[in-house]
Amino acid sequence: MNRFINILKVLSKTGTSIFDSDDNRGKKVLLIIIFGMMMLPIITSYGRLIGHIYDLLESSNMEKYILDIGFLLLSIIAFVFGTFYIIKSFYFSNDLNYYLFLPIKSHELLLGKFIIVLLNQYLIQGFFFLPMVIVYGTKASKGLIYYMYSLIVFVLFPIVPLVLASIISMVIMRFSKFSKHKDLFKLLSGIMSVVIVILINVIMRRYLDFNTDSEDINTIIDTMRHSQNNKVLSIFFQAKPASNALSNSGGLQGILEIVLFLLSTVIGVFIYLIIGKKLYLKGARGLNESGKKNKKIKVRFSKRSKVIAYVIYEIKTIVRTPTFAISYFITGNIWLVYIIIYPIISDMGLREIGQFINNTSGYYTILISIGITMLSFISNPIFYTPVSRNGRNFIINKFIPISYKEQIKGKIIVSVIVGGISLIVYIVLMIILKVKASFILLYILSVAPLLTYISISGLMIDMDSPKLNWESENEIIKNNFNGLMLFLINVGIFIAIFIIVKVLASFFSLASVIMVLTIYTIYLPINIMKLKKLKNTGVNKYKNLVK
């Protein structure tokens, strides 16, 4: 038992970036708190939607189906996201080769990795589970037993979907050649995760209309009730007793259902261990290698500028690393489109947005556009991981025939190029919306110094506390406190600009021109000072990052 606990402790440090222990634990807690505060409005809207559906169904005595459908959706979400994470954690983690040659029993490794995956699932499940249970319990006036059952269900519910995902994953990895395509899996899983998140966002936006007719809600319920719902529930066999236990928590039926739920969970774990012992180790041995040999990146210094050559080298490295490619090019840009821009467009329409911008006088619309672009920049890890993404290979930078000053210039240019994709996306969007050319010009002039400032500042912040000893690329992106620092600094400057422009606009005309001049007056001197600092002290700091 002690050995298993020790294994679990080690896995908690190497198997996930959420529960590992390092010097930044306090910072990570702060990040989680801030993220929770940002998600609170969405969770509140989700709870209001459940309450609205409950009120519509209560007259037909169908409110119990909220739990049925809710647990079915939770099962599907746990299964889909669990499949990606299980393959990554069980087979493609960098620590796997160490465990295969240690005197560890197969069931200990299976249980340890499964628990780590389960802990990560609680974060996803909590977003959907807690509002559903709290709203239903409040509306139905449930008592203490209901919430005790809810706690048991919350802890144990993801086990069966993860067991099914694990079995399917182990069969695929044991009997197919898919295991040899590690990079391809990372790329596909990352894209699929983004697509799923976008679909959830779109669906929630579709049904967060509280004027939805009761007939529409009943149609959805009846469709789920009379179609293939029973077959799906039979696959996730823990969903039905969990729903019945909560809806009948006040009587004997609830006790029987919670016992059945516990029994189904135990059976699921038992099946997982039996199949896992037969398949896991055979599928894991020798499969932690990428099936595609890394291609050497040739940089020809004689035919081009050394800075340009280094920029090409960095961009090729980013493109050929799936985690970086997804985070920098896709995730860093598309989430803002669907969280901020898509809701606005879906509520007002493309034509109305363009007309609103063209008919609105003053500097407010440009400031709003700059604020959205700033959030897009800051959310992109390209800005606050220019040094960390090199990892242990950073030592190579000490031997290549490029000076440290040129390398620093190259990293800033890479951040401007890759991060500037957001700027291109918004310019194209404005052209589609038929926004006036004068507005687009003022927008570009205003954003240019901001993009430069964030690129320089992100590099300096990352140089102060780089993460070079990482095992997985995700470690330098998830829970990165540097991004939070960059966010707080730029939000403070943006608020100051807004106040200054608002005051000056009351005394002078041409407020938009004043806004552009104010931005350059603030950002241009700061950018010059930061570049001088990089030239003087930054080069030595960069040089001494690895000795």
Side-chain angles (χ1 to χ4, degrees):
M1 187 64 183
N2 290 333
R3 184 171 61 179
F4 175 71
I5 293 175
N6 291 331
I7 293 172
L8 194 59
K9 288 180 180 179
V10 174
L11 284 170
S12 67
K13 295 178 182 179
T14 60
T16 174
S17 60
I18 297 175
F19 300 97
D20 62 343
S21 59
D22 54 24
D23 297 334
N24 294 327
R25 181 177 292 275
K27 297 178 181 179
K28 290 184 178 182
V29 172
L30 179 61
L31 275 175
I32 293 174
I33 294 174
I34 293 176
F35 178 76
M37 294 174 62
M38 294 174 62
M39 295 300 295
L40 187 60
I42 300 177
I43 296 175
T44 303
S45 299
Y46 176 55
R48 289 175 58 200
L49 172 64
I50 295 174
H52 177 65
I53 296 176
Y54 183 97
D55 293 337
L56 291 175
L57 298 181
E58 188 178 18
S59 59
S60 305
N61 293 323
M62 296 178 64
E63 63 271 17
K64 180 208 177 270
Y65 286 99
I66 292 178
L67 294 179
D68 285 348
I69 296 176
F71 282 119
L72 174 61
L73 293 177
L74 279 173
S75 299
I76 295 173
I77 291 172
F79 175 80
V80 173
F81 282 98
T83 301
F84 293 137
Y85 197 89
I86 283 166
I87 295 179
K88 178 182 174 182
S89 177
F90 281 40
Y91 295 94
F92 292 153
S93 60
N94 294 327
D95 62 344
L96 178 60
N97 284 334
Y98 298 106
Y99 296 115
L100 293 179
F101 299 99
L102 291 176
I104 300 174
K105 296 181 180 179
S106 60
H107 70 274
E108 293 175 335
L109 185 57
L110 281 168
L111 278 177
K113 283 191 171 288
F114 187 88
I115 290 174
I116 297 302
V117 175
L118 180 63
L119 291 175
N120 282 272
Q121 281 295 317
Y122 288 145
L123 298 178
I124 300 175
Q125 180 179 266
F127 177 82
F128 298 97
F129 181 90
L130 296 179
M132 177 184 71
V133 168
I134 292 173
V135 171
Y136 183 87
T138 303
K139 291 281 187 179
S141 301
K142 295 292 184 178
L144 179 62
I145 297 177
Y146 169 83
Y147 292 101
M148 292 174 60
Y149 286 176
S150 299
L151 179 60
I152 296 173
V153 171
F154 177 79
V155 173
L156 301 179
F157 186 80
I159 290 179
V160 170
L162 290 180
V163 165
L164 295 174
S166 300
I167 293 173
I168 294 175
S169 300
M170 285 187 285
V171 171
I172 292 175
M173 302 302 288
R174 174 65 181 89
F175 299 106
S176 73
K177 296 181 179 180
F178 181 73
S179 57
K180 295 182 179 180
H181 301 283
K182 179 179 178 180
D183 291 341
L184 178 61
F185 168 77
K186 287 183 177 181
L187 182 63
L188 293 178
S189 62
I191 294 175
M192 285 297 297
S193 298
V194 173
V195 170
I196 292 171
V197 171
I198 291 173
L199 287 176
I200 292 175
N201 181 267
V202 172
I203 292 171
M204 289 188 66
R205 286 286 308 171
R206 167 66 179 85
Y207 291 105
L208 278 177
D209 180 10
F210 298 111
N211 295 321
T212 303
D213 191 357
S214 59
E215 290 185 3
D216 295 334
I217 300 296
N218 287 333
T219 300
I220 297 172
I221 299 293
D222 288 337
T223 301
M224 296 291 293
R225 182 181 179 185
H226 297 296
S227 63
Q228 301 297 320
N229 189 30
N230 291 330
K231 293 182 180 180
V232 178
L233 282 176
S234 64
I235 297 174
F236 302 107
F237 50 84
Q238 92 294 1
K240 198 67 176 179
S243 174
N244 292 336
L246 295 187
S247 60
N248 300 285
S249 58
L252 179 61
Q253 180 67 24
I255 298 176
L256 296 176
E257 294 291 348
I258 198 67
V259 171
L260 181 60
F261 171 75
L262 293 172
L263 182 60
S264 65
T265 304
V266 172
I267 293 174
V269 174
F270 185 70
I271 294 173
Y272 166 75
L273 290 176
I274 292 177
I275 298 178
K277 287 182 180 181
K278 300 290 185 182
L279 298 178
Y280 177 58
L281 290 182
K282 293 181 181 179
R285 288 193 179 99
L287 298 179
N288 199 32
E289 298 292 332
S290 175
K292 182 179 179 180
K293 294 183 179 180
N294 294 325
K295 295 182 178 178
K296 294 182 179 180
I297 302 174
K298 297 181 180 180
V299 184
R300 300 177 181 176
F301 302 108
S302 59
K303 293 186 178 182
R304 56 170 71 97
S305 164
K306 290 184 179 181
V307 175
I308 295 176
Y310 187 75
V311 169
I312 295 173
Y313 162 76
E314 286 269 332
I315 292 177
K316 284 184 177 180
T317 302
I318 291 171
V319 172
R320 293 175 180 181
T321 307
T323 301
F324 292 153
I326 294 170
S327 299
Y328 295 165
F329 291 105
I330 301 177
T331 311
N333 293 285
I334 204 167
W335 76 271
L336 202 66
V337 173
Y338 277 88
I339 290 180
I340 296 179
I341 298 176
Y342 168 76
I344 295 175
I345 292 176
S346 62
D347 290 339
M348 298 181 64
L350 285 173
R351 183 177 299 177
E352 288 77 6
I353 292 291
Q355 292 175 353
F356 173 78
I357 294 175
N358 291 330
N359 297 332
T360 303
S361 60
Y363 55 90
Y364 289 103
T365 50
I366 299 181
L367 276 177
I368 292 173
S369 301
I370 295 173
I372 293 174
T373 308
M374 182 191 69
L375 290 175
S376 180
F377 288 160
I378 295 171
S379 65
N380 195 330
I382 184 70
F383 292 105
Y384 54 84
T385 59
V387 177
S388 297
R389 66 171 171 261
N390 292 123
R392 296 185 182 93
N393 292 331
F394 183 81
I395 195 172
I396 298 175
N397 291 18
K398 301 176 75 69
F399 301 102
I400 58 178
I402 303 178
S403 67
Y404 297 122
K405 181 179 177 181
E406 290 171 327
Q407 291 180 35
I408 290 174
K409 288 182 181 179
K411 287 186 177 294
I412 294 174
I413 293 173
V414 170
S415 297
V416 171
I417 293 174
V418 179
I421 292 177
S422 301
L423 179 59
I424 297 174
V425 170
Y426 297 135
I427 292 174
V428 172
L429 182 62
M430 290 179 188
I431 294 174
I432 294 174
L433 296 176
K434 297 181 179 179
V435 176
K436 293 178 180 178
S438 58
F439 182 94
I440 298 176
L441 178 61
L442 289 173
Y443 168 76
I444 294 173
L445 291 174
S446 302
V447 171
L450 173 65
L451 175 60
T452 306
Y453 171 79
I454 293 178
S455 300
I456 298 171
S457 300
L459 173 62
M460 297 180 70
I461 292 173
D462 195 33
M463 284 173 58
D464 288 334
S465 57
K467 297 183 178 181
L468 299 176
N469 295 318
W470 45 264
E471 298 293 337
S472 171
E473 295 87 355
N474 288 319
E475 294 179 27
I476 66 168
I477 296 175
K478 295 182 179 179
N479 304 322
N480 195 319
F481 191 68
N482 293 340
L484 176 61
M485 291 179 60
L486 201 59
F487 171 78
L488 295 176
I489 292 171
N490 282 276
V491 167
I493 295 177
F494 183 79
I495 293 174
I497 290 174
F498 177 80
I499 295 174
I500 293 172
V501 173
K502 188 173 181 62
V503 172
L504 293 177
S506 61
F507 296 99
F508 304 97
S509 58
L510 299 175
S512 298
V513 177
I514 292 174
M515 180 201 66
V516 175
L517 293 176
T518 302
I519 290 174
Y520 275 87
T521 302
I522 292 176
Y523 278 112
L524 192 58
I526 296 177
N527 287 342
I528 293 174
M529 287 188 295
K530 284 183 175 291
L531 287 174
K532 286 184 177 180
K533 186 177 180 180
L534 279 174
K535 182 179 179 180
N536 297 328
T537 61
V539 172
N540 288 330
K541 182 181 292 185
Y542 186 88
K543 175 182 177 181
N544 296 322
L545 287 177
V546 176
K547 296 182 179 180

